[in-house]
Amino acid sequence: MRYDDIRVGEPVLVGSHTFARDEVLEFARAFDPQPFHVDDEAAARSHFGGLIASGWHTAAAWMRLTVEHSRRRGGLAGISPGLEAIDWLKPVRVGDTVTFTNVATSKRRLASRKGWALLTSEATGVNQRGELVYRMRGPVFVPIDD
């Protein structure tokens, strides 16, 4: 990745993911076994009114797409020291397709670590109805190859 190629404020489409029923259930059973993620009847009785994907599943789908996008461009997705915020704004339902976009909101070379920069970024996910369902903000260390 060339540091000069990173454009602050420029949205970068990283891809889309469709949340299939079997995948939603498998992920939730393994990592977030709340009733509205793993049980149709309990989910129907919940305030969600039906089965939904775990927010962590949504975040994991974004991460996979971000890594794949970075690899296609010959780079590393980066190393995160943590997050400022992660927001699950609307439920992701079985069959929803979420399209993810990343935007660098700031960038700076690190004086203390030659060959590295610190980006602040925001990722968003929008479902097929145009609804914002996911937002994440945080810093990421990226290598500079220039």
Side-chain angles (χ1 to χ4, degrees):
M1 168 186 295
R2 289 191 29 83
Y3 180 78
D4 292 337
D5 293 339
I6 299 167
R7 304 278 182 237
V8 171
E10 182 177 299
V12 176
L13 178 67
V14 295
S16 298
H17 182 80
T18 300
F19 289 81
R21 177 184 171 73
D22 290 346
E23 177 189 295
V24 166
L25 291 169
E26 182 179 346
F27 185 96
R29 286 176 182 142
F31 301 107
D32 192 359
Q34 298 183 75
F36 43 83
H37 296 319
V38 298
D39 182 301
D40 284 305
E41 291 177 17
R45 291 189 306 270
S46 77
H47 63 282
F48 296 113
L51 200 66
I52 63 166
S54 166
W56 297 112
H57 187 178
T58 306
W62 163 79
M63 186 74 230
R64 179 183 54 82
L65 291 167
T66 295
V67 169
E68 289 173 355
H69 180 267
S70 295
R71 284 182 180 160
R72 285 192 303 271
R73 298 178 67 198
L76 175 69
I79 302 165
S80 176
L83 299 175
E84 293 172 8
I86 187 166
D87 304 308
W88 295 295
L89 302 162
K90 288 189 178 282
V92 173
R93 300 189 179 279
V94 170
D96 278 357
T97 297
V98 179
T99 300
F100 296 96
T101 303
N102 296 337
V103 176
T105 57
S106 69
K107 69 177 188 174
R108 67 178 171 87
R109 292 177 184 269
L110 293 175
S112 61
R113 290 192 178 179
K114 183 173 174 51
W116 288 88
L118 181 66
L119 300 181
T120 302
S121 66
E122 179 173 281
T124 56
V126 176
N127 66 19
Q128 70 278 5
R129 292 177 295 282
E131 301 168 324
L132 184 64
V133 298
Y134 171 80
R135 181 175 50 224
M136 184 277 303
R137 293 177 304 283
V140 62
F141 295 109
V142 293
I144 299 172
D145 183 21
D146 57 4

